[in-house]
Amino acid sequence: MSLKIPILLLLLMMLASPFRAARAEVRPESPVLLESVLETAPVEIDGQLLFMVRGVTSFPAEQRAEAIRGRIEKVAADRVFPSDGLSAEPVGNVTMIMARQVTLMIVSEADAQLEHTSRDHLATLHMMRIRQAIDEYRQSRTSDALLSAGLFSTAATAVLALVIAALLALNRWLDRALSRRLQSRVHAVGIQSFQILGSETIWKALHGLVLLLGVATIAVSAYAYLHYVLALFPWTRSVSNDLFDLAVNAAERIGKSVGARIPDILVLASIYYLCRFVLRLTRHFFDAVAQKRVRFAQFEPEWALPTYRLIRVLILAFALIIAYPYIPGSESAAFKGVSIFIGLVFSLGSSAAISNLIAGYLMTYRRVFKVGDRVKVGDVTGDVIAIRLQVTHLRTIKNEEVTIPNSQILNGDVTNFSSLAVTPGLILHTTVGIGYETPWRQVEAMLRMAAKRTTGIAGDPQPFILLIALGDFAVTYELNGYIHDPHAIAQIHAELHRHILDVFNEYGVQIMTPAYERDPPEPKVVRQEQWYAAPASSVQRAEERAEAANAEEGASPTTLAVQRSTVYRTE
């Protein structure tokens, strides 16, 4: 029995809970909530607010306020009725404000709850406000009041005319003053020979700005005049209040909008200056790395500028991501749509640019070449004059500038003549075909002699000769010599060939052609006495003798060039 009672009580509580919830659902709303959803309307006389009244479903607030206003104005127009003749008479649950037998308005308990006061107190306050409005209504329509309003409006009109005349004169004076001071300083805006804005267009824009300033000042003066004059007469006072409310509401909306954006603007300014500071600090650091004032192991100084550009993009992207939510209008659908469109266009149209950009950075960090190197990319041989993120510029040996996309360089073969030119040196080679009747030792000695005479071929390491083929008609010899100036390959090659021809002619050894049918009666060589046949001159002979003598003594190419010019002047 003792267990059944608690169980029954628990069941009753569970059954009773839905009923409590149902009663809570149908419970009337709180007064605060009712006040927030109730519709109210102002009762105004000559633009002056008397009080606010509420409405009901069958009699909306606007209609009730308009009816009360009409009855008050009708009583106020009857000057026989004294304003102190108003009375408040309680009738049942309402209080009626009467003007003799005319009911001006009814104050109910609901009206008192709306104002958070008692019904009698609210009726007394409304009656006092109506009495004051009746007195002001009658006073504003007296002959003296209307005459005074007319005089003030006339004076205001005269003041407005004087102000407009003064503003027009001031505008003309300001325009002339700007003409005297700025006309000689206004110049066209352009890029080199392309003119974006002419001086005449800029000057017209300045004139228009001055004129717009004058028109805006006159418009503000006219607005203030209308607000003042319309407020003087009781019939137009409401229009004056509407003008004032229009200006106040516009200023309030602008102020609220600007005030709401001030925190975002401060955040954006902070992000901007912080990003600028970080970029400047990063630039100074990589400038120090490029100038070798800061050194890192396995980090070349030539990498400083490309690395700074990459880090700069990352810093700017990070700052943009942080600043995006604070940009005014970023939450709008139009802004998001434009952002998506720009991103789509960029992704579709920049695939080749992105591949070239990535290839440019890979080339930089893989040490493919640097500015000033002599390289061969595909069929193009030249000096690297600029390495951009998208393309690389080469100047060929014919002084032609060739632009090559970085992705093409990364995906192809690149020959760098400069990377090993200093140590141990770049190997310059050439081949000659000599008949089997000439001893190979003699041929190798003559080739070494020709290499020794050639300016630009190093003596250490010594040139070496390879027998690369035993052909049908001749033995193919390959002369290899070390050079340290890759930019002079063509000149050294040509000079080496000249000395090979001279040495083989000196010793009467014929350089074979690729193929022939039979041996001639005499070797096909140029005898020494014919070396300087016309149009060759003695100047060329003296020059070559000086070069040979200095080459044996180890003279530099600059010394040879000076001596060559001296020989020409002597001749």
Side-chain angles (χ1 to χ4, degrees):
M1 186 66 179
S2 60
L3 291 174
K4 292 181 179 179
I5 294 175
I7 294 175
L8 290 174
L9 290 175
L10 182 60
L11 291 174
L12 290 174
M13 292 175 63
M14 294 176 61
L15 291 174
S17 59
F19 294 102
R20 289 198 299 269
R23 286 197 300 271
E25 291 177 2
V26 299
R27 185 172 56 191
E29 298 179 358
S30 62
V32 177
L33 184 60
L34 286 172
E35 292 174 10
S36 63
V37 298
L38 281 176
E39 181 183 2
T40 60
V43 178
E44 296 181 350
I45 301 295
D46 290 343
Q48 300 295 326
L49 176 64
L50 303 185
F51 42 77
M52 304 289 293
V53 295
R54 54 165 288 175
V56 293
T57 306
S58 59
F59 197 28
E62 292 183 359
Q63 295 182 12
R64 184 186 177 193
E66 185 66 22
I68 294 173
R69 184 190 65 81
R71 288 193 291 268
I72 294 174
E73 288 184 349
K74 186 176 181 180
V75 171
D78 185 7
R79 295 182 177 272
V80 178
F81 176 78
S83 60
D84 55 359
L86 298 177
S87 62
E89 301 179 3
V91 179
N93 295 328
V94 299
T95 300
M96 303 177 65
I97 299 177
M98 306 291 293
R100 293 180 183 166
Q101 303 299 322
V102 179
T103 302
L104 296 182
M105 70 174 298
I106 298 174
V107 180
S108 64
E109 291 290 344
D111 294 330
Q113 291 179 4
L114 181 63
E115 301 289 348
H116 300 287
T117 186
S118 64
R119 186 187 66 188
D120 295 337
H121 184 250
L122 181 63
T124 302
L125 293 177
H126 283 355
M127 185 175 63
M128 294 173 60
R129 189 70 183 91
I130 293 172
R131 184 182 295 120
Q132 181 183 359
I134 291 174
D135 292 338
E136 292 177 355
Y137 182 90
R138 292 172 178 175
Q139 175 62 30
S140 63
R141 285 165 174 78
T142 61
S143 300
D144 294 340
L146 294 177
L147 179 61
S148 176
L151 293 176
F152 278 111
S153 62
T154 303
T157 304
V159 170
L160 177 65
L162 291 176
V163 168
I164 292 176
L167 289 175
L168 292 175
L170 180 63
N171 187 266
R172 287 193 295 269
W173 176 84
L174 181 62
D175 187 71
R176 289 194 298 269
L178 288 176
S179 300
R180 289 193 303 268
R181 293 180 176 272
L182 299 180
Q183 190 170 11
S184 60
R185 303 180 183 180
V186 174
H187 303 287
V189 177
I191 300 175
Q192 295 181 1
S193 61
F194 177 72
Q195 183 173 327
I196 300 176
L197 288 176
S199 58
E200 185 67 23
T201 303
I202 298 175
W203 188 241
K204 287 181 179 179
L206 292 176
H207 276 292
L209 182 61
V210 174
L211 179 62
L212 180 62
L213 180 62
V215 172
T217 309
I218 293 174
V220 171
S221 302
Y223 182 87
Y225 164 79
L226 288 175
H227 173 68
Y228 174 75
V229 171
L230 293 176
L232 294 175
F233 300 94
W235 303 280
T236 58
R237 195 167 294 152
S238 60
V239 179
S240 174
N241 293 338
D242 292 340
L243 287 176
F244 181 76
D245 292 340
L246 179 63
V248 170
N249 292 335
E252 183 180 3
R253 285 196 300 269
I254 295 174
K256 287 182 178 179
S257 178
V258 174
R261 296 298 180 185
I262 285 177
D264 294 343
I265 294 174
L266 292 177
V267 172
L268 289 175
S270 302
I271 294 174
Y272 168 76
Y273 284 107
L274 180 61
C275 179
R276 184 178 178 183
F277 171 75
V278 173
L279 286 176
R280 186 175 298 175
L281 184 64
T282 306
R283 180 59 186 265
H284 290 334
F285 173 76
F286 281 103
D287 284 344
V289 174
Q291 296 169 7
K292 299 181 181 181
R293 290 186 283 115
V294 177
R295 298 177 181 271
F296 294 99
Q298 304 299 322
F299 191 90
E300 299 293 334
E302 293 80 8
W303 297 351
L305 183 58
T307 305
Y308 165 71
R309 291 173 179 171
L310 181 61
I311 294 178
R312 181 180 61 181
V313 172
L314 295 177
I315 292 174
L316 292 176
F318 182 71
L320 183 61
I321 292 172
I322 296 177
Y324 181 83
Y326 301 98
I327 298 176
S330 60
E331 68 279 358
S332 64
F335 192 93
K336 294 177 181 178
V338 172
S339 302
I340 294 174
F341 176 75
I342 293 175
L344 181 62
V345 171
F346 182 79
S347 61
L348 293 178
S350 62
S351 58
I354 294 298
S355 63
N356 287 329
L357 182 66
I358 295 174
Y361 277 106
L362 291 177
M363 286 166 44
T364 300
Y365 294 111
R366 289 172 59 180
R367 306 181 184 180
V368 178
F369 46 71
K370 62 181 182 296
V371 175
D373 285 355
R374 171 66 61 86
V375 298
K376 180 179 181 182
V377 180
D379 297 332
V380 180
T381 301
D383 300 329
V384 180
I385 58 176
I387 302 175
R388 310 295 184 190
L389 291 179
Q390 297 285 337
V391 296
T392 298
H393 298 267
L394 299 182
R395 183 174 58 241
T396 66
I397 57 178
K398 300 299 184 182
N399 205 27
E400 302 164 339
E401 184 173 344
V402 180
T403 303
I404 303 176
N406 289 335
S407 58
Q408 179 180 338
I409 298 175
L410 190 65
N411 296 327
D413 297 330
V414 178
T415 303
N416 192 334
F417 299 102
S418 301
S419 58
L420 299 177
V422 178
T423 305
L426 182 66
I427 297 179
L428 181 71
H429 67 278
T430 187
T431 59
V432 293
I434 307 299
Y436 284 94
E437 69 278 3
T438 306
W440 63 267
R441 293 176 180 83
Q442 181 186 12
V443 175
E444 290 188 2
M446 289 189 293
L447 291 175
R448 289 191 183 92
M449 185 181 297
K452 186 177 181 180
R453 293 181 181 180
T454 303
T455 305
I457 295 182
D460 186 21
Q462 290 289 331
F464 60 94
I465 295 96
L466 299 176
L467 276 70
I468 60 174
L470 299 176
D472 295 336
F473 307 102
V475 179
T476 303
Y477 297 86
E478 183 183 79
L479 172 60
N480 298 270
Y482 290 89
I483 65 173
H484 299 293
D485 185 6
H487 303 284
I489 292 177
Q491 293 84 350
I492 297 175
H493 225 149
E495 186 178 352
L496 177 62
H497 289 160
R498 296 190 191 99
H499 289 302
I500 290 175
L501 291 174
D502 288 345
V503 171
F504 277 72
N505 285 328
E506 287 178 12
Y507 291 94
V509 176
Q510 178 179 345
I511 297 177
M512 307 295 293
T513 56
Y516 65 95
E517 294 182 358
R518 61 187 180 86
D519 288 322
E522 296 181 357
K524 299 176 66 177
V525 297
V526 180
R527 300 186 182 280
Q528 188 172 4
E529 59 271 14
Q530 299 177 351
W531 283 4
Y532 300 98
S537 63
S538 58
V539 174
Q540 191 172 356
R541 177 187 300 177
E543 176 187 348
E544 292 177 359
R545 288 177 179 175
E547 288 181 0
N550 285 284
E552 292 180 358
E553 297 175 0
S556 63
T558 304
T559 304
L560 295 179
V562 173
Q563 293 179 351
R564 185 182 298 112
S565 61
T566 303
V567 170
Y568 276 105
R569 287 196 301 269
T570 303
E571 293 294 329

